[in-house]
Structure formats: C-alpha cells, structure tokens
Amino acid sequence: MLQRFVRANRIPAVHSPPILPFSKLGRRGCGEALNAFDGSEGRARRSVRPVSRLQVRDGQATAHPTTPRVWKLAAKASPLLLLLALTLSARAGVREVGAIGLTVGDLDRELMFYTNTLPFELLSISEASGQDQDALLGLHDVHLRVATLKLGDEHITLTAHAGNKGRPIPADSRSFDRWFQHIAIVVRDIDIAYEQLRQYKVKHVSTVPQTLPAWNKGAAGIRAFYFRDPEDHVLEIIFFPTGKGDPKWQRAGTNIFLGIDHTAIVVSDTDKSLAFYRDLLGLRVAGESENYGVEQEHLNQVFGARLHITGLRAERGPGIEFLEYITPPGGRDLPIDAKPNDLVFWDTHLAVDDVAKLTAKLHENGVTFVTKPGSVRSQIVRDPDGHALTIQSAPQPAITSAGK
C-alpha cells in the first residue's frame, strides 16, 4: 500500500509518540524588551543618582562621587544586563511553530488527496499506542497511524485513530464557527493552481479565487481561495504579490505550490487570544487588518463578513492567524464534549526550551490541558476557544569540538 504514496524506498518505523523533530534554532531575540528603555542611547527610564565610593587618603576614608566615566559604563551595562535577563526568562516561550496536525478518518483516502490533488511529499507513516499516547491525548486504548508530509519547508501530520474513531466534521460547519481552522498554502500562480484543483473536482468554499481590494493597504492584491479536502477540512491557496508576505514566497522557481504560510483559527475575542498566545506563549504580533466587503463574503461564504485579523509569529515556522468575526453574530463554540479523535481536532505543534516551566506557567493561569498530569515530554493544551496546541521540547544545538 505504501508504494502508492512513498517516493523513498524505506519508511522509518516510529514506536514512540509521533512528535515531529524541530529544526535547530538560535536564541530568541529580545527586540520587544527595548520598550523598557528610553531613547537611542539605551538609558533606563528611572533616574539613578551616582553612588559614592570610598577613597583612603592619609588614613582617613573620604567619600567621592563615582567618576563620570565609570557611571557611563554602568549606565550602559545596566540595560544590557536587563535585556540578558529578559532573554533568558523568555526561553520557556515558543521558539518555533512546527507541524500542523489534522485528525482524519480514512488515512489512505486523505493521503491520495494530499499527495496527488496537492503535491505534498509523504515522509513517513508511523504507528503509536500505549500509555504514553493515552496520557497525551486524554483517551483510552489509543492506537494511531500518523502520516508526516512536507510541502516546501513546512510539515503537516494526518492522524487516524484505528478502532476508536471520532465524529466527522459537522455537515453544517461554517467559516465563522469557533472550531474553524485551516492552513494557507502559498502558490506561485493562483489561476494555474485553481485550475488544477478544479480538474480534481475539489469541494469549493469560495465561489472563485478572490482578490483583496486596493483600499485594504495591508492585504491589497493578495488573492485567495478556500476549498475542502475529502473529509471537509478547510484549506486555502493564497498568492502574495510583490511586497506582501514573507520574501521567500517571491523566490524564482517553477513549482506552483510553495509551502504553508500560516494556520488560521477563528477566535471569539482577540484580546483574550493575545493574552494567551502573546503574553503566555511568547509569540509576537506581526500584523493586523480589518477585512470586509463582497470579496471577503465570497472568500469565506459568509454574508456580511467583517473580520479583525491578527497575525502572530515565532522565530521560525508558519504563522498563527486570528480571525475574529465582528459580523455576523452566531458563530458556534467548540462542543464541550469534543475529543482528540474527532475530525474537528486540529493540533499545532509548538517548540519550547523548557516544557515543564511553560506548562507550570499555563497551569498557574488556568489553561485547559488535554494531556493527563505526569507527562513532561510534551503536553497538549487548548487556547481560550478550544483550539489544540502540542507543546514540546525544542532540540538543543549540538556541541561541536570547536565549541568545547
């Protein structure tokens, strides 16, 4: 069966929990911490009087002000030390957004779609079961088949629950229901990509590819189209004109499908989501816009759609994009009994330096955990609207002989 999908001759067997390794990264930048200081000279906002020093002369100790030169050095050093402390304290936060996971019912059918209708490359198929998987997912008798696929630099996983299948995506799901999530696949030419999808008779969400209008300065000229996979997971193809999106999407080449720019999630309250993703997880806000009009209605198939969109990024990997529907009202919450084997369960992987430290912080702030207590290798949590995230350790850079 695998020969139908796999280009390589061998598929590595994986018996441990199916967690995709992350790339090796440098340390988190600390640009955000510069807001704690005034001006280009890096002076601390609090004024501090010079400290006197003792000087012994003729057996008498006399106090003298610290010399201006020494004080200037100390003033310059203080912000650097504080920046270093802030950087080290932030290491528990997210360093990379990794694989984006979909839960599927029929793995073979989904693989045919993602590797034929779409040009994802299948890297491996693995199986996982046992107590570790039960604890991670908060389920009993878990037996998983997990396919890992790649497009460009980005990865997705397709996870099927053998013998313990969950519920399908509700037939009446709408783009503004709060369990909605999709991945945005970047294309070099959206007309060619759309024609290819039409040839495979994909299920449309959008009427046709939409071009965002010129008045929307942050998104003007971006073209996009929503569609569904065979099990009704929503996907997007997106084209970025020159000057929009990551510069890597403008590189010369001949391939039409380039990679994954972001995963988008519907949120009920942008401020609450920022408190979680930015303040607790450490992602940075990369941009915001407000989208509305006939193009947005045709893109999402939501009449009267008006969205507040916020994009967030880690050091590396795809972005996470908030879609807050200002109108229309009526978006439904994730069902309270939703489980990780249901097909509405998406799972975004986040790499951190210290899983235990971050999960302790999340526990202190009342975050909902899917994972049962006891696991320190990785944890699955839910954001304020129920979207799932796997928190796992980022690999440490290898120590070379030159660095010893």
Side-chain angles (χ1 to χ4, degrees), residues 77-335:
S78 296
L80 294 176
L81 291 174
L82 182 54
L83 283 173
L84 178 61
L86 290 171
T87 302
L88 293 174
S89 66
R91 287 186 57 194
V94 174
R95 296 175 61 198
E96 182 177 7
V97 177
I100 301 162
L102 296 76
T103 302
V104 303
D106 186 331
L107 182 59
D108 294 335
R109 178 176 63 176
E110 290 286 86
L111 280 173
M112 287 292 291
F113 177 83
Y114 282 92
T115 60
N116 288 272
T117 304
L118 295 171
F120 281 82
E121 176 187 359
L122 177 61
L123 301 180
S124 67
I125 297 178
S126 60
E127 295 188 1
S129 60
Q131 294 181 351
D132 287 345
Q133 288 300 309
D134 289 357
L136 181 66
L137 295 170
L139 298 173
H140 297 290
D141 301 322
V142 170
H143 186 180
L144 306 177
R145 290 182 68 213
V146 183
T148 300
L149 299 91
K150 180 181 180 182
L151 181 64
D153 297 326
E154 292 77 42
H155 297 80
I156 65 171
T157 61
L158 306 176
T159 299
H161 289 252
N164 189 19
K165 295 183 181 298
R167 294 167 293 186
I169 294 173
D172 62 346
S173 284
R174 304 163 300 181
S175 296
F176 62 108
D177 289 324
R178 285 186 279 275
W179 58 74
F180 178 92
Q181 183 166 353
H182 77 237
I183 53 174
I185 301 168
V186 184
V187 295
R188 191 181 305 278
D189 186 314
I190 199 166
D191 294 316
I192 294 175
Y194 173 60
E195 185 57 35
Q196 179 175 322
L197 295 177
R198 285 190 62 196
Q199 290 175 4
Y200 282 98
K201 296 180 170 57
V202 300
K203 293 181 279 187
H204 287 49
V205 175
S206 307
T207 50
V208 293
Q210 300 295 311
T211 303
L212 298 185
W215 61 259
N216 190 336
K217 299 301 182 183
I222 293 174
R223 304 185 67 196
F225 171 73
Y226 282 18
F227 61 104
R228 298 181 187 273
D229 76 4
E231 296 187 349
D232 289 334
H233 301 95
V234 177
L235 308 171
E236 177 186 27
I237 54 172
I238 187 168
F239 164 77
F240 291 105
T242 302
K244 296 290 195 303
D246 192 316
K248 78 174 185 176
W249 305 130
Q250 308 298 329
R251 294 172 186 164
T254 59
N255 51 328
I256 301 300
F257 295 84
L258 305 179
I260 298 171
D261 181 73
H262 63 268
T263 181
I265 57 174
V266 170
V267 303
S268 58
D269 186 313
T270 296
D271 290 336
K272 287 183 180 178
S273 294
L274 284 174
F276 177 79
Y277 285 91
R278 182 194 61 196
D279 302 339
L280 290 180
L281 297 183
L283 298 176
R284 61 180 174 83
V285 175
E288 297 182 272
S289 68
E290 189 168 312
N291 291 12
Y292 56 90
V294 64
E295 300 87 0
Q296 195 68 44
E297 293 178 346
H298 281 271
L299 178 63
N300 299 24
Q301 276 299 292
V302 176
F303 179 73
R306 189 182 190 103
L307 291 82
H308 178 197
I309 299 176
T310 307
L312 295 97
R313 294 272 170 180
E315 287 179 356
R316 294 190 56 173
I320 296 176
E321 185 175 276
F322 299 162
L323 308 176
E324 180 185 356
Y325 278 80
I326 301 169
T327 60
R332 294 170 292 181
D333 291 333
L334 179 73

